[in-house]
Amino acid sequence: DHMLICTEPGYGASVYDGMDDYGPFRLLDALAEYSFNGNLDAWSFALGDGADEQIEMGALKDLQSTDDPRPVPGLGSDYPCDVDINPRRSHCADYDDELPPVVLISPCRRRVISSLQPHFAWEACPTATSYFLQLRPLLPDGNPDWDTSYGENVMAEAAGCDGGGENCALTLSSILPEGDYVWWILPSNETLDGVWSRRGYFGVETTELIFADNFESADFSYWRLP
């Protein structure tokens, strides 16, 4: 019915729950705290461009962050855009032919991994036949390094998600240096490109262990442990 989650009496039988608390109210509170009180800690919750703090919902499914919100293909509506009583129905798009942003699965949430060839996973887009994985290092200020890219194109069939029925997966062909990275996905098909997903952040750090020939005389200042 196009209404946000609602707990007020007379506007449905809802009770105050985690969906209310972590959905609109948490983001609205953060926006007010940042706007009126200048609280910089609230910035990433309200304006974080898909930051973990902004989209995480605890035990509930994470929110989706996108600059191009649109209906999910395949989901019907009792009152579609092109219904006769809509005076602007000529402006309605055929969303079933478009590609919504995919949802990233892993690696995300600033997770640190030890593999220099990460394994990426994301939810399939029902109408996509290929995906472009954009992968860039993070600069010290937290922004992507736009001069360095490890991106790859992969067909949906090669990613194991042809037809949109399964999650997609890709093992990177490049060897990454240690450091922090950001990645996101663009779905495409034969007729058009979709929209970019939210960004996923992770770090790469290998663990090195130096063994001594004589354990009892080893200088432990040279041991590097996890």
Side-chain angles (χ1 to χ4, degrees), residues 164-203:
E166 301 290 341
N167 293 332
C168 305
L170 168 69
T171 298
L172 194 69
S173 61
S174 302
I175 304 295
L176 297 180
E178 291 188 341
D180 295 323
Y181 292 88
V182 58
W183 67 290
W184 55 107
I185 293 285
L186 178 71
S188 302
N189 59 29
E190 293 81 359
T191 58
L192 76 164
D193 292 331
V195 293
W196 290 101
S197 69
R198 63 167 288 250
R199 297 177 180 183
Y201 297 87
F202 69 98

Side-chain angles (χ1 to χ4, degrees), residues 97-110:
D97 290 334
E98 298 193 17
L99 294 89
V102 301
V103 177
L104 307 185
I105 299 177
S106 67
C108 290
R109 304 176 189 276
R110 309 282 177 177

Side-chain angles (χ1 to χ4, degrees), residues 12-224:
S14 301
V15 296
Y16 190 88
D17 55 21
M19 191 71 76
D20 304 298
D21 192 24
Y22 285 94
F25 295 130
R26 175 173 56 94
L27 304 181
L28 182 60
D29 288 344
L31 183 61
E33 180 68 12
Y34 173 69
S35 300
F36 299 117
N37 298 326
N39 184 348
L40 296 179
D41 291 336
W43 182 91
S44 59
F45 287 87
L47 303 169
D49 190 25
D52 293 339
E53 301 93 329
Q54 188 179 50
I55 61 98
E56 286 181 349
M57 293 280 286
L60 303 173
K61 186 174 182 179
D62 287 349
L63 299 174
Q64 292 188 37
S65 173
T66 174
D67 294 327
D68 187 14
R70 60 183 67 195
V72 177
L75 297 182
S77 172
D78 292 335
Y79 303 97
C81 179
D82 59 355
V83 69
D84 289 341
I85 60 175
N86 180 6
R88 295 181 57 82
R89 61 184 178 273
S90 61
H91 296 274
C92 297
D94 185 2
Y95 288 110
D96 286 339
D97 290 334
E98 298 193 17
L99 294 89
V102 301
V103 177
L104 307 185
I105 299 177
S106 67
C108 290
R109 304 176 189 276
R110 309 282 177 177
R111 177 187 173 194
V112 177
I113 62 176
S114 59
S115 174
L116 299 180
Q117 288 183 286
H119 182 76
F120 297 92
W122 63 93
E123 292 185 8
C125 174
T127 51
T129 56
S130 65
Y131 299 89
F132 177 63
L133 188 151
Q134 178 71 277
L135 173 63
R136 296 183 182 273
L138 287 178
L139 297 172
D141 61 4
N143 289 314
D145 180 356
W146 298 109
D147 295 326
T148 305
S149 175
Y150 299 95
E152 290 192 24
N153 278 301
V154 59
M155 300 301 294
E157 183 177 2
C161 54
D162 189 27
E166 301 290 341
N167 293 332
C168 305
L170 168 69
T171 298
L172 194 69
S173 61
S174 302
I175 304 295
L176 297 180
E178 291 188 341
D180 295 323
Y181 292 88
V182 58
W183 67 290
W184 55 107
I185 293 285
L186 178 71
S188 302
N189 59 29
E190 293 81 359
T191 58
L192 76 164
D193 292 331
V195 293
W196 290 101
S197 69
R198 63 167 288 250
R199 297 177 180 183
Y201 297 87
F202 69 98
V204 175
E205 181 178 336
T206 59
T207 301
E208 180 182 359
L209 184 62
I210 302 175
F211 293 94
D213 292 334
N214 187 337
F215 182 82
E216 292 185 0
S217 63
D219 182 351
F220 284 91
S221 63
Y222 289 94
W223 288 75
R224 181 183 175 196

